[in-house]
Amino acid sequence: MSSMTTEQRVAVPRDARNARIAVAVLFFTNGAIFANLLPRYPEIKRDLGLSNAEYGLAIASFPLGALIAGLAAATLIRRFRSSRVAVAGTLFVAVGVLIAGVSPTWVALAGAMFFAGAMDAVTDVAQNSHGLRVQRLYGRSILNSFHAVWSIGAVAGGLMGGLAVALDVPRGIHLSVTGALCVAAVFIAYRFLLAGPEPVERTVVSPGPDVHASAPKMRRTGPYLTLAALVLIAVGGTLVEDAGSTWAAVYLSGQLDASVSIAALGFVAMVGAQFIGRLLGDGLVDRFGQRAVARAGGVIVFLGMGAALAFPSVAGTIIGFGLAGFGVATLVPAAMHGADELRGLRPGTGLTVISWLMRVGFLVSPPVVGLIADSLSLRVGLLVVPFAGLLVILLAGVLSSERAERHRS
């Protein structure tokens, strides 16, 4: 570790260090609450007698709610502060997930998913906004670590949900207990978040590679086209995440005849590998640059999941989802950081827009995959995953190739 890095870490105020832990709690619970519902999807689909298309449309209500409510996040944050919005949003997400788990009809399921998605979108922007605020106090990149903690929460939630299925715990009891625990955690964390209103103008600090320093394509195309490319990169990541959360358990338990508890491992493998990739993400970006890391990730997604679909097996599919999760690990944090630092846009505009638009992937993917599955097969529908890897390979040029000083030759 360099002396400069040591000095920077010593200089970080205590309230910033406490806030970093508190923000990590927000990300952990955000991942855990919804992930507890995912292993229950096959039985919800079965109990309600839904076709693949009906199931996909119900799940798509979640990103639809996120799209409709997402743009309200900036206004809510300016009025009530990101800390308060994130905590209140977590409470409402937990309520929405509980209602979805016990819904007696397709309409109730879709409505609950819509509400949970709307609250999740607001919570997502608020916790990332507060995380970026803490990051600026640190003066170096820590955003990937927050998303890594989200992955830990999602893995924990997926394992808890799988265990609840294996023990035959009723969905209402399971989701009530896990939701209450997560809400209690964020209320405790609230007192350690940064005090005061949101800053009107952000301090100019470049934590990690400067998005603008060595990205000539960004300078040529202008901020809006660059923002569009960053959105598509984020959408590539969300397509993979949605495939793992919505369809992994259904595909493994349906076409590949895996048990319900084993089928839950598809999502767990994806999010677990995504966590490892995010844990390593800052170091990889420092060494190779965002562009190279993203392109390598796209190749891993394309080859890993492509091979799993070409040669289907339970073990191979679980590994394929794991490789896909590892490949997209840094995409959403990279796109968010790039959008938030774009010159020519008001502070916060890029982050809000990309957080909103990237949910198009979550909206479009479930019904499209469901329709393809009903017409052909779910195996064919899951080709959206290697397609997402190809999309990232083609668009990664808008990301920076800048490396940290200590890794330059």
Side-chain angles (χ1 to χ4, degrees):
M1 181 183 297
S2 67
S3 60
M4 180 177 292
T5 302
T6 302
E7 291 171 2
Q8 287 174 337
R9 292 190 177 183
V10 170
V12 175
R14 175 176 293 182
D15 62 341
R17 296 196 298 270
N18 290 338
R20 182 178 183 178
I21 297 173
V23 172
V25 172
L26 293 176
F27 274 81
F28 179 91
T29 55
N30 185 251
I33 291 173
F34 188 65
N36 266 278
L37 180 64
L38 303 182
R40 315 301 301 243
Y41 275 176
E43 60 185 279
I44 291 173
K45 180 175 181 289
R46 182 193 65 236
D47 291 348
L48 297 181
L50 304 178
S51 68
N52 285 320
E54 290 171 332
Y55 167 74
L57 286 171
I59 301 304
S61 298
F62 187 93
L64 179 61
L67 279 173
I68 291 176
L71 289 180
T75 301
L76 291 171
I77 289 169
R78 284 193 295 268
R79 180 164 184 174
F80 300 108
R81 303 179 189 177
S82 57
S83 55
R84 296 170 180 171
V85 172
V87 171
T90 300
L91 169 63
F92 291 127
V93 171
V95 170
V97 166
L98 171 61
I99 296 173
V102 298
S103 294
T105 64
W106 180 90
V107 173
L109 173 62
M113 293 296 286
F114 180 92
F115 175 76
M119 296 301 99
D120 183 71
V122 173
T123 305
D124 184 48
V125 176
Q127 67 187 15
N128 275 285
S129 178
H130 207 83
L132 286 167
R133 188 177 168 189
V134 175
Q135 176 173 270
R136 292 181 190 108
L137 293 178
Y138 269 73
R140 57 187 172 85
S141 178
I142 60 172
L143 189 61
N144 271 309
S145 67
F146 290 137
H147 286 261
V149 172
W150 183 94
S151 297
I152 298 176
V155 170
L159 290 173
M160 291 166 68
L163 181 62
V165 171
L167 297 177
D168 201 25
V169 178
R171 292 196 296 272
I173 295 175
H174 161 218
L175 297 173
S176 295
V177 172
T178 55
L181 289 173
C182 289
V183 170
V186 298
F187 272 93
I188 294 171
Y190 172 73
R191 64 188 298 263
F192 298 103
L193 295 171
L194 295 177
E198 302 302 303
V200 176
E201 293 191 16
R202 58 176 179 256
T203 303
V204 180
V205 175
S206 295
D210 180 6
V211 175
H212 308 285
S214 65
K217 292 186 180 180
M218 293 177 70
R219 292 195 291 270
R220 288 199 302 266
T221 58
Y224 298 105
L225 288 178
T226 300
L227 181 60
L230 290 170
V231 167
L232 289 175
I233 289 173
V235 167
T238 61
L239 283 174
V240 175
E241 291 181 18
D242 177 73
S245 63
T246 304
W247 297 107
V250 175
Y251 177 64
L252 283 162
S253 63
Q255 288 192 235
L256 299 183
D257 295 322
S259 67
V260 175
S261 57
I262 294 297
L265 294 179
F267 171 74
V268 171
M270 185 201 73
V271 181
Q274 189 179 56
F275 160 69
I276 295 173
R278 285 174 172 172
L279 199 64
L280 300 174
D282 289 322
L284 290 172
V285 169
D286 283 347
R287 185 173 184 85
F288 301 108
Q290 285 283 15
R291 188 183 304 168
V293 172
R295 280 188 175 144
V299 171
I300 291 172
V301 173
F302 183 78
L303 295 180
M305 198 61 193
L309 293 173
F311 308 101
S313 68
V314 172
T317 299
I318 293 173
I319 293 171
F321 275 111
L323 290 172
F326 184 83
V328 301
T330 65
L331 294 185
V332 172
M336 284 184 167
H337 178 248
D340 195 53
E341 297 294 325
L342 267 179
R343 295 188 179 112
L345 299 178
R346 292 178 58 191
T349 300
L351 176 62
T352 300
V353 170
I354 202 167
S355 298
W356 181 63
L357 286 178
M358 75 177 189
R359 294 176 181 272
V360 172
F362 286 121
L363 175 64
V364 173
S365 179
V368 167
V369 173
L371 288 170
I372 295 173
D374 284 342
S375 301
L376 299 171
S377 70
L378 185 51
R379 179 182 169 194
V380 175
L382 286 174
L383 287 174
V384 297
V385 177
F387 169 78
L390 182 61
L391 183 70
V392 171
I393 294 170
L394 295 175
L395 295 176
V398 299
L399 297 172
S400 174
S401 61
E402 185 77 2
R403 297 177 294 163
E405 288 288 339
R406 66 181 179 275
H407 292 300
R408 290 178 182 170
S409 55

